[in-house]
Amino acid sequence: MRRTARAVALFIVASAVVPVASAVAVLAAFLFLPLPASLPEAREGVTAQVSRIYDVHGDLIGTFERFDTVRPVAREDIPDVLKEAVVSAEDRRFYSHSGVDVQGTLRALWSDIRAGQVVEGGSTITQQYVKNTYVGNERSLSRKVREAVVASQLDRQVDKEEILFRYLSSVFFGDGAYGVGAAAETYFDKAVNDLSISEAALLAGLIPAPSRFQPRAHPEVAEVRRTQVLGQMLREDYITEAEHAEALAQEVWSFDVSGFPPEGQPITFIHPRRRVETAFPYFVDYVRRYMDVHYGEGAVYERGFEIYTTLDPGMQLVAEEAVRATLSGTDPPLEMALASVEPGSGYVKALVGGRDFNAPGGSVNLALGKDGGGTGRQPGSTYKPFVVAAALEAGIPPSKTYSGRSPVVISGHPFQNFGGSNFGTVDLRTATRASINTVFVQLMNDVGVEETMDLARELGVTTSVYQEGFHGLSVSLGAAEVSPLDMASAYGVFAARGERADPTPVLAVLDRDDNVLEENFEVEQRRRRVIKEVTADTMNDIMRGVFQRPGTAVGRGIGRPAAGKTGTSQDSGNAWFVGYTPTLSTAVWMGYRDSNKALRNIKGVRAVTGGSFPARTWQDFMTKALVNREAPDFNEPAPIEPVVNQARREARRGFDIGGRRTARATPDGGPYAEDLPPASVEAPTTTTSTTTTTTTTTPPGFLGRRPSTDDDP
């Protein structure tokens, strides 16, 4: 049996090695025989075109230009320590082979065979330069053969120092830096001849995979690689033990990740990325991230796009001022973000991702959540409208009643109202306006966690992805993380009467030759229906009541028809207000940038809720953003009938067509606000609602993640 196994193993190795060895032998004949030493024509060097960004009026608001594409250097400018670091890391036999290192290639091949994967490259510095300059990077055997032949020819014609100089002047170091001159300037803000041993080792370590080892974004990975190169330099006797120890202590420190370092600490400091010069950095950053996704990372710095955006500069300035006024008198890391979207078109009109785009610690766009380099945030009760919408879609009418007693126990787990408040038997309209947690837990139990999250995702909450055994009833209270842009977009579906257009910052993209690459002017083609008109109309009617008692944002109206919802997550760690009119949907978030620390004792407010600073900021922004604009009303909804009634009607093969009703002129509130019961009603002695039991076997989920138990008083 062992003999058979050894035979099989030998056969496999031979199958891999013999053809390669044969190829190496044939290639060696080309490399070492006296062939004509004529080089092919060199390819053009790196070029980059400036991309320009325009607002909705066609005015220039910023540019994307590669600030560090190439920085020419003289041969004598490149220090020995950098050349030694690169040779140690990339090709330690550089000075002894003839352009192609057959020994190194076979060694790399054997390492790859033993590991069962590619673990060691076999290309020399000369081959890498040839690939970049003469033959391209097509993944084929013929290209590798051409590369080797040209490398051998180049080695015969040009001395080693010149080859190394040409290579270091053109190789890509990531972050747009081609050549050591650009790399030294962009990462260390210094000339190449001033590089230290540690800095040289870091640059040398970037060459194999600049994105993976990127020190600005991934300092911990870059540090591992830098340490490896320093070890190789020591083994090759390019540096002494003392120099190695001194350099090793200078660990990588990225300003974009960690801000300024402690004073006196030995570090290899990675300077912050240069900022795009614009009056609207958060919106321009959003455009850059959009372009990276749709046209390739870094394309905006190279391809010379003309980018026409949806930005309304007047609204943007108002948004920035509203956020600045709220944060005035407070200090980082307390932050606020705002996103405003036009319902129906998906056009993002204004976006503020924090108090200072250039703040120490890196540029995080909090309005975009995880897509902006930050994290999502628990939405608290601003998630509750999705539960109601799912119920309406399932045929549950807004007149459905539940017990508002606190706590309510489901599957042995208690759920509380904000502050332990008790309510009597209430319908969904009242429960939404007063934000009664226990009602929504029961409602989601009837509708289904997965069904609710699926609908939220359809509405635009990109992070609302159901995971069985993980998500449970606490989702109804805002346990899933979201972003302000997602929330503004999702609420905009209600304003657009059930139709959704994906949010976009871009109206059109043209290339350098004015060819249209993308245009988003045809709004009708971009829209799709995600909920019924009657569902959206009813949601608008219900959510208008947030501004009237017992609503949680009383006094935050804007003098025109509007609807919305407050939200406060567990222990006041995040505070939200998401509100909209028929023409503009805006989400405001407030919290700490680096944690879910409780929002307490801020500007005289003991505990911040969504109805306080976020609702005030929303009110300030919306009032000014919509000044002198038409104030259309929402469409008043038709009655939503229970599913059973619909089934009976279909069974008799008939249907009713009701006339459309026009909404009453009731700014800031719903037409039925005067009919609402008082905010606090003594709860019945039983914990069972009038229509459903409060004890089920549904797995609650999220119970170990401290779900939110808000809402606002």
Side-chain angles (χ1 to χ4, degrees):
M1 190 67 180
R2 292 180 179 176
R3 184 176 301 173
T4 303
R6 284 197 299 269
V8 171
L10 182 61
F11 173 77
I12 293 174
V13 173
S15 298
V17 174
V18 171
V20 176
S22 300
V24 170
V26 173
L27 180 59
F30 283 96
L31 298 181
F32 301 117
L33 288 174
L35 300 173
S38 60
L39 296 173
E41 186 174 344
R43 303 163 66 206
E44 290 186 10
V46 176
T47 59
Q49 300 290 324
V50 175
S51 292
R52 295 177 174 83
I53 314 102
Y54 304 90
D55 65 20
V56 72
H57 305 305
D59 295 325
L60 185 70
I61 59 172
T63 60
F64 293 116
E65 53 185 301
R66 199 176 286 291
F67 56 84
D68 55 358
T69 301
V70 176
R71 289 291 182 269
V73 295
R75 182 165 161 175
E76 59 272 16
D77 289 338
I78 301 178
D80 289 342
V81 68
L82 178 58
K83 292 187 286 186
E84 292 162 355
V86 171
V87 169
S88 297
E90 290 294 296
D91 184 7
R92 62 177 181 266
R93 284 171 38 84
F94 172 73
Y95 290 105
S96 60
H97 62 63
S98 58
V100 177
D101 186 3
V102 177
Q103 177 181 326
T105 300
L106 292 175
R107 183 183 63 251
L109 173 64
W110 180 241
S111 297
D112 295 345
I113 291 174
R114 286 189 301 172
Q117 59 181 333
V118 177
V119 296
E120 186 175 338
S123 295
T124 65
I125 286 174
T126 311
Q127 287 175 278
Q128 292 178 48
Y129 172 70
V130 165
K131 178 180 69 175
N132 295 336
T133 307
Y134 294 104
V135 301
N137 58 1
E138 176 191 354
R139 298 177 66 89
S140 67
L141 180 60
S142 61
R143 193 271 297 170
K144 288 294 292 182
V145 171
R146 290 199 310 274
E147 175 188 295
V149 171
V150 175
S152 178
Q153 293 172 337
L154 182 67
D155 190 78
R156 302 178 196 185
Q157 294 185 38
V158 180
D159 69 74
K160 293 286 188 180
E161 289 299 326
E162 179 63 21
I163 292 173
L164 185 56
F165 167 68
R166 294 183 186 180
Y167 173 73
L168 292 176
S169 297
S170 61
V171 68
F172 184 55
F173 287 92
D175 233 13
Y178 289 85
V180 292
E185 184 173 317
T186 186
Y187 290 124
F188 308 119
D189 194 27
K190 61 171 58 175
V192 66
N193 54 4
D194 292 331
L195 291 176
S196 67
I197 293 175
S198 177
E199 292 165 343
L202 186 142
L203 292 185
L206 293 178
I207 294 173
S211 295
R212 178 184 173 192
F213 301 131
Q214 226 293 333
R216 189 165 279 132
H218 311 294
E220 69 289 344
V221 181
E223 171 61 21
V224 172
R225 181 63 180 152
R226 182 191 73 97
T227 300
Q228 292 173 345
V229 175
L230 287 173
Q232 291 167 323
M233 294 176 71
L234 178 63
R235 286 190 292 274
E236 296 297 317
D237 292 328
Y238 285 126
I239 57 176
T240 66
E241 290 278 2
E243 289 172 328
H244 175 262
E246 181 182 2
L248 195 63
Q250 300 168 14
E251 297 184 1
V252 176
W253 185 284
S254 170
F255 178 90
D256 279 5
V257 172
S258 305
F260 289 106
E263 200 169 326
Q265 179 175 332
I267 58 169
T268 301
F269 186 67
I270 309 301
H271 280 254
R273 182 182 284 109
R274 292 188 184 178
R275 313 300 181 186
V276 176
E277 293 299 324
T278 175
F280 310 116
Y282 282 112
F283 191 91
V284 170
D285 175 69
Y286 175 32
V287 173
R288 178 188 64 80
R289 294 174 189 274
Y290 176 95
M291 296 295 290
D292 280 350
V293 170
H294 291 81
Y295 296 93
E297 187 173 352
V300 291
Y301 297 105
E302 298 175 352
R303 294 176 56 183
F305 297 116
E306 299 288 306
I307 307 166
Y308 294 87
T309 75
T310 60
L311 176 73
D312 183 314
M315 287 189 182
Q316 179 68 27
L317 289 171
V318 168
E320 292 174 359
E321 177 54 35
V323 170
R324 184 163 45 248
T326 300
L327 293 177
S328 175
T330 67
D331 298 311
L334 180 66
E335 289 284 4
M336 176 171 277
L338 181 153
S340 193
V341 179
E342 185 177 79
S345 69
Y347 295 161
V348 180
K349 310 301 290 183
L351 187 132
V352 181
R355 69 165 72 218
D356 181 7
F357 186 75
N358 297 319
S363 302
V364 177
N365 200 332
L366 296 167
L368 306 180
K370 294 179 180 178
D371 289 337
T375 61
R377 299 295 177 139
Q378 287 190 349
S381 289
T382 57
Y383 200 90
K384 288 175 180 174
F386 307 140
V387 187
V388 179
L392 298 178
E393 287 284 284
I396 298 175
S399 58
K400 178 74 173 285
T401 58
Y402 291 90
S403 168
R405 185 184 177 98
S406 178
V408 62
V409 180
I410 300 180
S411 297
H413 298 283
F415 293 88
Q416 298 275 358
N417 287 326
F418 183 85
S421 301
N422 273 303
F423 298 81
T425 298
V426 295
D427 62 15
L428 297 185
R429 187 184 304 277
T430 304
T432 303
R433 294 175 179 179
S435 201
I436 304 173
N437 290 344
T438 56
V439 171
F440 282 91
V441 173
Q442 298 170 69
L443 180 61
M444 178 173 271
N445 192 50
D446 284 351
V447 176
V449 178
E450 182 175 6
E451 289 78 4
T452 301
M453 294 189 73
D454 286 349
L455 179 62
R457 186 169 180 82
E458 281 293 306
L459 290 169
V461 183
T462 58
T463 54
S464 188
V465 181
Y466 176 72
Q467 298 178 48
E468 186 175 359
F470 180 68
H471 290 115
L473 297 180
S474 297
V475 169
S476 66
L477 307 181
E481 295 179 341
V482 300
S483 73
L485 179 60
D486 275 2
M487 296 300 283
S489 176
Y491 275 45
V493 176
F494 301 143
R497 306 196 69 204
E499 292 189 330
R500 168 173 170 76
D502 292 337
T504 179
V506 168
L507 286 174
V509 178
L510 281 63
D511 66 13
R512 67 180 69 176
D513 298 317
D514 290 335
N515 297 309
V516 178
L517 304 178
E518 175 184 351
E519 61 90 11
N520 295 311
F521 295 109
E522 298 297 330
V523 174
E524 293 293 335
Q525 296 178 11
R526 299 184 62 247
R527 285 203 297 253
R528 65 186 185 279
R529 179 158 298 282
V530 294
I531 56 175
K532 303 169 189 172
E533 273 191 5
V534 65
T535 298
D537 290 344
T538 303
M539 290 302 303
N540 297 334
D541 185 55
I542 291 172
M543 294 170 68
R544 292 168 70 133
V546 72
F547 301 109
Q548 294 185 350
R549 297 191 184 280
T552 54
V554 175
R556 302 303 176 203
I558 55 175
R560 63 172 67 211
K565 187 73 187 72
T566 56
T568 312
S569 68
Q570 178 73 27
D571 294 332
S572 298
N574 299 276
W576 293 78
F577 188 80
V578 187
Y580 58 95
T581 69
T583 58
L584 197 64
S585 178
T586 301
V588 178
W589 164 86
M590 186 176 191
Y592 286 97
R593 168 175 169 153
D594 53 358
S595 69
N596 288 313
K597 185 174 67 173
L599 296 165
R600 302 192 188 281
N601 301 316
I602 296 173
K603 298 177 74 169
V605 175
R606 184 177 61 84
V608 175
T609 63
S612 59
F613 293 122
R616 293 178 200 172
T617 305
W618 179 89
Q619 180 184 45
D620 185 23
F621 166 72
M622 293 289 281
T623 301
K624 295 175 182 176
L626 296 174
V627 68
N628 297 327
R629 304 194 185 212
E630 291 186 10
D633 204 347
F634 297 108
N635 194 72
E636 187 173 328
I640 289 184
E641 295 182 291
V643 172
V644 63
N645 290 353
Q646 180 181 348
R648 288 171 181 165
R649 188 168 61 248
E650 291 176 352
R652 64 177 182 263
R653 308 175 71 85
F655 58 92
D656 301 318
I657 301 178
R660 175 168 295 180
R661 298 181 292 167
T662 57
R664 309 177 197 176
T666 52
D668 304 333
Y672 310 113
E674 65 273 18
D675 301 325
L676 291 172
S680 295
V681 180
E682 183 64 30
T685 56
T686 175
T687 59
T688 303
S689 76
T690 59
T691 56
T692 184
T693 178
T694 59
T695 302
T696 75
T697 56
T698 304
F702 262 144
L703 294 173
R705 300 190 64 213
R706 294 175 58 80
S708 65
T709 55
D710 72 306
D711 197 16
D712 308 280

